Amino acid sequence: MDYMLQWRVLPLLTLLASFLFLFYVQHSSKSSHKECSLLPYQHYWITSKRIVTPQGVISGSVEIKEGKILSIVKEEDWQGKSKVGHIVDYEEAVVMPGLIDVHAHLDDPGRAEWEGFPSGTKAAAAGGITTLVDMPLNSFPSTVSQETLKLKIKAAKERIYVDVGMLSNLYLSLLIILGLVFLTILPTGFWGGLVPENAFNASALEALLNAGVLGLKSFMCPSGINDFPMTNASHIKEGLSVLAKYRRPLLVHAEIQQDSEIHLEAKDGSDDAHSYSTYLKTRPPSWEEAAIRELVAVTKETRIGGLAEGSHLHIVHLSDSSSSLELIKEAKNGGDSITVETCPHYLAFSSEEIHDGDTRFKCAPPIRDAANKEKLWEALLFVLPVTWSYGRKYGVTLEQLALWWSERPAKLAGQELKGAIATGNLADIVIWEPDVEFDLNDDYPVFFKHPSISAYMGTKLSGRVLATFVRGNLVYKEGKHAPAACGVPILAR
Ligand SMILES: *[C@@H]1O[C@H](CO)[C@@H](O)[C@H](O)[C@H]1NC(C)=O
Ligand SMILES: *[C@@H]1O[C@H](CO)[C@@H](O)[C@H](O)[C@H]1NC(C)=O
């Protein structure tokens, strides 16, 4: 009899255990969801006198439900609307689509320093950035194949994954209990690397693209990372023809090393790096011009009817505003699918303003050390105030900011549901006060570890970020972050 009883009780016990387990998992997933946001509502309205939409700036309300923008109502149409849900009134503050940084280096796996990672992603959210797209180098190994992308996703998931899956919820709860929330709070996408090793191998590139990278990235000069060698125009041409099928872009660091007066490459710590003018001479505009001449010869294939029609070439952080820019304009006018970006450093500073020995201002060479990495994160934190403070001297409008920092990057990264405050889009939103001036030293919350190395320290900037929403979650509010990191890896389909 005892024997029989055992056989009946065991399955029952197992069943009971499973129920308890499921209950725990469900419960933990709910509580972790609450931790994702500083606002305890799933359905609410954001109200403001200045909401930046693709149709212009309006006064009204944005309805958000379960992470998406459900409706946008102008103030004059508000009467008679039933106000279901909580209302968050931001009055005169600007409500804009969240910024998308397509140029992040998360250095992970392999080169991540744990303490730098959470501070960096927090800085991004505090700067109004709601999405990061990770560059394929600086992590080890570089993201140049299907296998290395998998490593990257795995590394990201262990830190940013919350929404689905039992293991991850348990893992998150465990981390919270231990007080070790080393998690990124932003959705993160990935670029893959175009390198000589995979450029002529269409099946390797296709595998990488099938695995979900949003596009490819390559260098026309040494990247500074051994497992990320530079490509030439032939590699780029091959890459574009594969990308064409996927309608995804190629991002290129456009500099070709030429003989210059000074042959030493400026490296941190070398004497030559001490003077900024010396540094500038080692990377003269002619390097960019040489690269862009080769590129525009290749981008002809991106025209309608060309071998690479459907692909797109994007030049990252161009600093030469003269002949290089002219060449790009010409190509664009001819029908080439080509765009260019610059970085806030180039907009904010000119070389005459930079004192010798001030290595904080280096932007072109790849990241090599901790100080440089901090500089990148600091760039994230100050994207909005810096672009705005310097840009508005040149008449930059809120609509233009939204176009540059949200709509266009979203398009580049193929994110149709991001980049604009529009019905049906994800509720990725930044709330900020463009007219509030502040001194960097005193007033602004600084999240990176070595504030003294910030190039902007001591300057007066305007534009203070009040709040950042990611998929409807209030992840940042006036110096405070949501307790849990609820970013998701973004993969191309
Ligand atoms: C091309 O890439 C595939 C997949 O990575 C690999 O199996 C194959 O050996 C490569 N072919 C050449 C010629 O290198
Ligand atoms: C680019 O490099 C490859 C070798 O990886 C070589 O076969 C090709 O001729 C080079 N193309 C140009 C334009 O230099």
Side-chain angles (χ1 to χ4, degrees):
M1 277 319 263
D2 278 352
Y3 176 79
M4 287 301 286
L5 194 69
Q6 249 180 31
W7 278 107
R8 278 175 203 178
V9 167
L10 258 178
L12 272 175
L13 274 177
T14 316
L15 203 66
L16 188 69
S18 322
F19 270 122
L20 279 173
F21 181 71
L22 272 178
F23 176 78
Y24 172 71
V25 165
Q26 269 197 339
H27 182 77
S28 75
S29 104
K30 260 181 205 151
S31 65
S32 68
H33 189 84
K34 248 189 240 164
E35 306 265 313
C36 296
S37 182
L38 294 166
L39 198 68
Y41 310 104
Q42 286 291 295
H43 186 192
Y44 57 92
W45 297 81
I46 287 175
T47 297
S48 155
K49 297 257 182 295
R50 290 192 277 181
I51 300 172
V52 184
T53 74
Q55 290 77 40
V57 180
I58 62 159
S59 171
S61 303
V62 181
E63 182 181 17
I64 292 159
K65 193 174 178 189
E66 275 139 31
K68 288 208 168 168
I69 296 173
L70 200 61
S71 69
I72 298 161
V73 183
K74 284 188 183 170
E75 196 183 359
E76 55 261 39
D77 304 329
W78 179 252
Q79 257 63 36
K81 272 264 166 188
S82 58
K83 298 168 194 171
V84 183
H86 188 81
I87 295 170
V88 194
D89 190 357
Y90 285 105
E91 299 169 3
E92 305 286 331
V94 167
V95 175
M96 216 169 75
L99 280 61
I100 298 175
D101 190 297
V102 294
H103 208 127
H105 289 267
L106 296 179
D107 297 6
D108 213 338
R111 290 197 183 93
E113 288 150 40
W114 280 93
E115 71 272 41
F117 195 51
S119 60
T121 51
K122 282 183 166 182
I129 294 169
T130 52
T131 300
L132 296 171
V133 188
D134 182 53
M135 280 295 174
L137 68 163
N138 292 349
S139 56
F140 186 82
S142 296
T143 318
V144 293
S145 65
Q146 185 186 6
E147 292 74 29
T148 47
L149 177 67
K150 279 183 185 155
L151 289 176
K152 183 73 114 170
I153 295 168
K154 187 166 165 271
K157 271 186 177 168
E158 283 167 6
R159 308 219 182 77
I160 70 173
Y161 190 100
V162 191
D163 291 357
V164 275
M166 298 205 294
L167 267 179
S168 57
N169 276 328
L170 285 175
Y171 183 66
L172 180 79
S173 313
L174 213 72
L175 281 178
I176 290 171
I177 291 164
L178 294 175
L180 291 170
V181 193
F182 293 126
L183 306 169
T184 167
I185 52 177
L186 300 180
T188 307
F190 310 94
W191 301 119
L194 177 72
V195 288
E197 185 195 326
N198 63 21
F200 295 119
N201 187 338
S203 68
L205 282 183
E206 280 170 11
L208 181 56
L209 289 159
N210 290 338
V213 293
L214 304 180
L216 300 175
K217 163 84 189 276
S218 81
F219 277 76
M220 297 180 83
C221 60
S223 75
I225 300 286
N226 287 340
D227 72 340
F228 205 95
M230 65 180 182
T231 48
N232 63 29
S234 320
H235 301 127
I236 287 171
K237 195 172 170 183
E238 292 295 317
L240 284 173
S241 66
V242 175
L243 283 161
K245 278 187 260 175
Y246 293 81
R247 309 194 80 80
R248 293 182 207 165
L250 173 67
L251 282 65
V252 179
H253 182 111
E255 277 184 302
I256 294 179
Q257 255 172 334
Q258 314 276 301
D259 285 333
S260 57
E261 310 101 86
I262 294 155
H263 292 268
L264 276 169
E265 224 220 277
K267 282 206 174 69
D268 292 334
S270 80
D271 286 341
D272 291 279
H274 198 68
S275 150
Y276 200 74
S277 61
T278 303
Y279 173 65
L280 271 186
K281 275 186 219 148
T282 66
R283 303 187 91 93
S286 61
W287 287 24
E288 291 192 324
E289 196 187 321
I292 283 157
R293 274 193 197 287
E294 291 200 3
L295 286 177
V296 295
V298 173
T299 53
K300 292 203 172 16
E301 296 296 349
T302 64
R303 293 180 188 179
I304 293 168
L307 286 173
E309 181 190 340
S311 68
H312 177 82
L313 191 123
H314 182 76
I315 295 158
V316 300
H317 47 59
L318 184 83
S319 72
D320 175 24
S321 58
S322 52
S323 36
S324 297
L325 211 51
E326 279 310 309
L327 286 169
I328 295 164
K329 271 188 203 157
E330 215 173 277
K332 234 180 140 118
N333 290 339
D336 296 16
S337 186
I338 185 169
T339 49
V340 63
E341 79 185 22
T342 189
C343 80
H345 289 72
Y346 297 137
L347 297 174
F349 301 109
S350 53
S351 61
E352 310 84 66
E353 291 175 53
I354 299 172
H355 304 295
D356 284 355
D358 204 342
T359 53
R360 300 179 299 180
F361 290 87
K362 278 194 195 176
C363 191
I367 310 83
R368 297 196 178 98
D369 55 25
N372 235 317
K373 193 162 102 180
E374 293 282 353
K375 193 202 63 185
L376 266 182
W377 289 125
E378 149 240 309
L380 292 185
L381 175 51
F382 298 124
V383 158
L384 201 45
V386 169
T387 320
W388 178 244
S389 302
Y390 293 88
R392 75 167 162 185
K393 288 186 195 152
Y394 294 93
V396 168
T397 63
L398 293 173
E399 287 99 323
Q400 273 166 329
L401 268 192
L403 188 69
W404 292 343
W405 279 107
S406 307
E407 204 173 318
R408 285 195 185 146
K411 195 162 173 233
L412 180 69
Q415 299 302 302
E416 290 139 27
L417 296 181
K418 290 174 180 273
I421 296 188
T423 303
N425 270 13
L426 293 167
D428 286 3
I429 290 170
V430 54
I431 319 281
W432 63 296
E433 298 172 304
D435 305 315
V436 171
E437 290 206 332
F438 60 92
D439 282 319
L440 215 43
N441 290 333
D442 321 320
D443 312 335
Y444 212 77
V446 174
F447 297 103
F448 45 90
K449 280 178 60 213
H450 307 297
S452 59
I453 66 157
S454 164
Y456 303 109
M457 275 296 159
T459 46
K460 212 173 199 51
L461 294 174
S462 49
R464 177 192 285 272
V465 173
L466 288 180
T468 306
F469 292 84
V470 177
R471 286 177 300 120
N473 290 325
L474 179 55
V475 298
Y476 172 80
K477 184 191 170 192
E478 293 170 54
K480 194 168 176 275
H481 290 84
C486 302
V488 292
I490 304 170
L491 297 175
R493 278 165 288 131

